[in-house]
Amino acid sequence: MSTLALKGPYWVAARQYRRTLWLVGAAVAASLAVIGVLRIWEAQDRASGSFPYENRLGYDMLRGAMEQLSHGMIALPLLVGAFVAGPLIARELESGTYKLSLTQSISPTAWLRSKLATATAVAVGATLALIAVYRLGWTRVSDSWGFHWADLGPYEATGVVLVGYVLFAVAVGALVGQLIHRTVVAMAVTGGIVGLAMLALGAFRWDFLSVETITGPAGENASVVFAPDNGMLVDQGLIGVSGRRLPGWFCSPDSPPGAACRPDEPIAAQYVDYHPQAHFWPTQLIESGILLALAALAIYAAFRVLRTRHP
């Protein structure tokens, strides 16, 4: 971000944290360079005609880099929230340096608004850039284990929900920084809150939409029913003659020794519950909406706290 186009407290905020801005830009540029080079290498391996059995070093390197990038994308909201709560807000309140800004005919509301607006613009811009970089590499490894569209990492990094988590992290950081005037403690508390939100929504996100179900016959000449290609398997089992769902598999002549068959109860059919890939964007939008609502509440509370303490 260029500080030349900014004025007043916004220029001060960008100038004050210019090293962080440069670091963010360098991280995005480095990610693009690494993933771009590895994707070109992987494409050359495919063009050699022996892929995937030989000469797949480029693919393996790309996959390893994408695994690390997945971890980084998941940690991004934690880092953003910790920075806003600690260095951006709590440190100035702890040291008292915010008072200098307030002597420059700037209201407390304008002081906080300028910091949050600058942090939000940089965080959202960097997040969108990293999502684009991630998708650049993900399209080459999406058919491999751990990179399914519903897996932890690809789900967050290929849609819009990561932006929602970043905005939520900024809002929580603003509130916690106002309440806790200790830099390290505010960073830890914010990271904990954002992490808990990610765990909670991650545990319930696939309950937002109803699963789709496929049933099939269960008998000696029947084949096992599977979820369609690219579907996310939720549950699989048998249906008894009473209509009750049962765990396990039906017995067939080619069942392996020790298979979990159900000879103890007559079986009428088998079933598979799954989420189709078409549920990806609706789930993303529902989860993002929840995060934006929580972020709005946190921002409102942050400014209320500010007005109470600095009328």
Side-chain angles (χ1 to χ4, degrees), residues 127-150:
T127 301
L128 292 174
L130 288 172
I131 289 175
V133 172
Y134 189 92
R135 291 188 70 92
L136 180 68
W138 178 75
T139 55
R140 291 294 191 178
V141 299
S142 59
D143 58 348
S144 62
W145 182 85
F147 288 98
H148 189 265
W149 59 268

Short mmCIF file of all heavy atoms in Angstrom, two decimals, residues 127-150:
data_model
loop_
_atom_site.label_atom_id
_atom_site.label_comp_id
_atom_site.label_asym_id
_atom_site.label_seq_id
_atom_site.Cartn_x
_atom_site.Cartn_y
_atom_site.Cartn_z
N THR A 127 -5.29 -11.48 1.70
CA THR A 127 -6.03 -12.74 1.71
C THR A 127 -6.52 -13.11 0.31
O THR A 127 -6.39 -14.27 -0.12
CB THR A 127 -7.22 -12.66 2.68
OG1 THR A 127 -6.73 -12.37 3.99
CG2 THR A 127 -7.99 -13.96 2.70
N LEU A 128 -7.08 -12.16 -0.39
CA LEU A 128 -7.56 -12.42 -1.75
C LEU A 128 -6.40 -12.82 -2.67
O LEU A 128 -6.54 -13.72 -3.51
CB LEU A 128 -8.28 -11.19 -2.30
CG LEU A 128 -9.62 -10.85 -1.62
CD1 LEU A 128 -10.16 -9.53 -2.16
CD2 LEU A 128 -10.63 -11.96 -1.82
N ALA A 129 -5.26 -12.15 -2.51
CA ALA A 129 -4.10 -12.50 -3.33
C ALA A 129 -3.62 -13.91 -3.02
O ALA A 129 -3.29 -14.68 -3.93
CB ALA A 129 -2.97 -11.49 -3.09
N LEU A 130 -3.59 -14.27 -1.74
CA LEU A 130 -3.14 -15.61 -1.37
C LEU A 130 -4.14 -16.69 -1.83
O LEU A 130 -3.74 -17.80 -2.18
CB LEU A 130 -2.94 -15.69 0.14
CG LEU A 130 -1.71 -14.95 0.68
CD1 LEU A 130 -1.71 -14.93 2.19
CD2 LEU A 130 -0.42 -15.57 0.15
N ILE A 131 -5.43 -16.36 -1.81
CA ILE A 131 -6.43 -17.30 -2.33
C ILE A 131 -6.18 -17.57 -3.81
O ILE A 131 -6.25 -18.71 -4.28
CB ILE A 131 -7.85 -16.76 -2.09
CG1 ILE A 131 -8.19 -16.82 -0.61
CG2 ILE A 131 -8.88 -17.55 -2.90
CD1 ILE A 131 -9.52 -16.19 -0.26
N ALA A 132 -5.88 -16.50 -4.56
CA ALA A 132 -5.58 -16.67 -5.99
C ALA A 132 -4.34 -17.54 -6.19
O ALA A 132 -4.30 -18.41 -7.07
CB ALA A 132 -5.40 -15.31 -6.65
N VAL A 133 -3.31 -17.32 -5.38
CA VAL A 133 -2.09 -18.12 -5.47
C VAL A 133 -2.40 -19.58 -5.12
O VAL A 133 -1.93 -20.51 -5.79
CB VAL A 133 -1.01 -17.56 -4.53
CG1 VAL A 133 0.19 -18.51 -4.47
CG2 VAL A 133 -0.56 -16.18 -4.99
N TYR A 134 -3.19 -19.78 -4.09
CA TYR A 134 -3.52 -21.15 -3.67
C TYR A 134 -4.28 -21.89 -4.77
O TYR A 134 -3.97 -23.05 -5.07
CB TYR A 134 -4.35 -21.10 -2.39
CG TYR A 134 -4.57 -22.47 -1.77
CD1 TYR A 134 -3.70 -22.94 -0.80
CD2 TYR A 134 -5.62 -23.29 -2.16
CE1 TYR A 134 -3.88 -24.20 -0.22
CE2 TYR A 134 -5.80 -24.53 -1.60
CZ TYR A 134 -4.93 -24.99 -0.63
OH TYR A 134 -5.11 -26.23 -0.08
N ARG A 135 -5.25 -21.22 -5.36
CA ARG A 135 -6.02 -21.87 -6.42
C ARG A 135 -5.15 -22.19 -7.62
O ARG A 135 -5.41 -23.15 -8.35
CB ARG A 135 -7.21 -20.99 -6.82
CG ARG A 135 -8.28 -20.87 -5.75
CD ARG A 135 -9.50 -20.14 -6.27
NE ARG A 135 -10.21 -20.95 -7.25
CZ ARG A 135 -11.22 -21.78 -6.96
NH1 ARG A 135 -11.62 -21.91 -5.71
NH2 ARG A 135 -11.82 -22.47 -7.91
N LEU A 136 -4.11 -21.38 -7.85
CA LEU A 136 -3.20 -21.64 -8.95
C LEU A 136 -2.54 -23.00 -8.81
O LEU A 136 -2.38 -23.75 -9.79
CB LEU A 136 -2.13 -20.53 -9.00
CG LEU A 136 -1.08 -20.64 -10.10
CD1 LEU A 136 -1.71 -20.42 -11.47
CD2 LEU A 136 0.04 -19.63 -9.87
N GLY A 137 -2.14 -23.35 -7.59
CA GLY A 137 -1.52 -24.65 -7.37
C GLY A 137 -2.52 -25.75 -7.09
O GLY A 137 -2.30 -26.91 -7.46
N TRP A 138 -3.64 -25.41 -6.47
CA TRP A 138 -4.62 -26.43 -6.08
C TRP A 138 -5.25 -27.12 -7.28
O TRP A 138 -5.58 -28.32 -7.20
CB TRP A 138 -5.70 -25.77 -5.22
CG TRP A 138 -6.80 -26.69 -4.80
CD1 TRP A 138 -6.73 -27.66 -3.83
CD2 TRP A 138 -8.12 -26.75 -5.33
NE1 TRP A 138 -7.93 -28.31 -3.72
CE2 TRP A 138 -8.81 -27.78 -4.63
CE3 TRP A 138 -8.81 -26.03 -6.30
CZ2 TRP A 138 -10.14 -28.09 -4.89
CZ3 TRP A 138 -10.13 -26.35 -6.57
CH2 TRP A 138 -10.78 -27.36 -5.86
N THR A 139 -5.41 -26.43 -8.38
CA THR A 139 -6.01 -27.04 -9.56
C THR A 139 -5.18 -28.22 -10.07
O THR A 139 -5.71 -29.09 -10.77
CB THR A 139 -6.15 -26.01 -10.69
OG1 THR A 139 -4.87 -25.41 -10.97
CG2 THR A 139 -7.13 -24.91 -10.30
N ARG A 140 -3.90 -28.28 -9.71
CA ARG A 140 -3.04 -29.38 -10.15
C ARG A 140 -3.01 -30.55 -9.18
O ARG A 140 -2.58 -31.65 -9.54
CB ARG A 140 -1.60 -28.86 -10.36
CG ARG A 140 -1.45 -27.92 -11.53
CD ARG A 140 -1.71 -28.65 -12.83
NE ARG A 140 -1.32 -27.85 -13.98
CZ ARG A 140 -1.40 -28.27 -15.23
NH1 ARG A 140 -1.85 -29.47 -15.49
NH2 ARG A 140 -1.04 -27.48 -16.23
N VAL A 141 -3.41 -30.32 -7.92
CA VAL A 141 -3.32 -31.40 -6.93
C VAL A 141 -4.68 -31.72 -6.32
O VAL A 141 -4.76 -32.52 -5.38
CB VAL A 141 -2.33 -31.01 -5.81
CG1 VAL A 141 -0.94 -30.78 -6.36
CG2 VAL A 141 -2.81 -29.76 -5.06
N SER A 142 -5.75 -31.15 -6.84
CA SER A 142 -7.07 -31.31 -6.23
C SER A 142 -7.60 -32.74 -6.31
O SER A 142 -8.54 -33.08 -5.59
CB SER A 142 -8.08 -30.36 -6.89
OG SER A 142 -8.18 -30.62 -8.28
N ASP A 143 -7.00 -33.57 -7.17
CA ASP A 143 -7.46 -34.95 -7.28
C ASP A 143 -6.69 -35.90 -6.37
O ASP A 143 -6.88 -37.11 -6.46
CB ASP A 143 -7.34 -35.43 -8.73
CG ASP A 143 -5.90 -35.32 -9.25
OD1 ASP A 143 -5.07 -34.66 -8.58
OD2 ASP A 143 -5.62 -35.88 -10.32
N SER A 144 -5.85 -35.37 -5.50
CA SER A 144 -5.05 -36.22 -4.62
C SER A 144 -5.57 -36.14 -3.18
O SER A 144 -6.34 -35.24 -2.82
CB SER A 144 -3.57 -35.81 -4.67
OG SER A 144 -3.41 -34.48 -4.21
N TRP A 145 -5.11 -37.09 -2.36
CA TRP A 145 -5.57 -37.18 -0.98
C TRP A 145 -5.21 -35.91 -0.20
O TRP A 145 -4.10 -35.40 -0.32
CB TRP A 145 -4.95 -38.39 -0.31
CG TRP A 145 -5.43 -38.57 1.11
CD1 TRP A 145 -6.55 -39.21 1.52
CD2 TRP A 145 -4.79 -38.09 2.28
NE1 TRP A 145 -6.66 -39.17 2.89
CE2 TRP A 145 -5.59 -38.47 3.39
CE3 TRP A 145 -3.62 -37.36 2.51
CZ2 TRP A 145 -5.25 -38.16 4.70
CZ3 TRP A 145 -3.29 -37.04 3.82
CH2 TRP A 145 -4.10 -37.45 4.89
N GLY A 146 -6.15 -35.41 0.60
CA GLY A 146 -5.91 -34.23 1.41
C GLY A 146 -6.24 -32.93 0.73
O GLY A 146 -6.19 -31.87 1.38
N PHE A 147 -6.57 -32.97 -0.56
CA PHE A 147 -6.88 -31.74 -1.30
C PHE A 147 -8.27 -31.78 -1.92
O PHE A 147 -8.54 -31.08 -2.89
CB PHE A 147 -5.82 -31.48 -2.37
CG PHE A 147 -4.50 -31.04 -1.81
CD1 PHE A 147 -3.48 -31.94 -1.63
CD2 PHE A 147 -4.30 -29.72 -1.45
CE1 PHE A 147 -2.26 -31.54 -1.10
CE2 PHE A 147 -3.09 -29.30 -0.91
CZ PHE A 147 -2.07 -30.22 -0.74
N HIS A 148 -9.13 -32.60 -1.36
CA HIS A 148 -10.53 -32.61 -1.76
C HIS A 148 -11.15 -31.26 -1.42
O HIS A 148 -10.73 -30.58 -0.47
CB HIS A 148 -11.27 -33.74 -1.04
CG HIS A 148 -12.65 -33.98 -1.53
ND1 HIS A 148 -13.76 -33.42 -0.92
CD2 HIS A 148 -13.12 -34.74 -2.56
CE1 HIS A 148 -14.85 -33.82 -1.54
NE2 HIS A 148 -14.49 -34.61 -2.54
N TRP A 149 -12.15 -30.84 -2.16
CA TRP A 149 -12.73 -29.52 -1.95
C TRP A 149 -13.30 -29.32 -0.56
O TRP A 149 -13.41 -28.19 -0.07
CB TRP A 149 -13.83 -29.25 -2.99
CG TRP A 149 -14.96 -30.24 -2.97
CD1 TRP A 149 -15.06 -31.38 -3.71
CD2 TRP A 149 -16.15 -30.19 -2.17
NE1 TRP A 149 -16.23 -32.04 -3.43
CE2 TRP A 149 -16.93 -31.33 -2.49
CE3 TRP A 149 -16.64 -29.28 -1.23
CZ2 TRP A 149 -18.15 -31.59 -1.89
CZ3 TRP A 149 -17.87 -29.54 -0.63
CH2 TRP A 149 -18.60 -30.68 -0.97
N ALA A 150 -13.64 -30.42 0.13
CA ALA A 150 -14.22 -30.31 1.47
C ALA A 150 -13.20 -30.51 2.58
O ALA A 150 -13.55 -30.41 3.76
CB ALA A 150 -15.35 -31.34 1.63
#
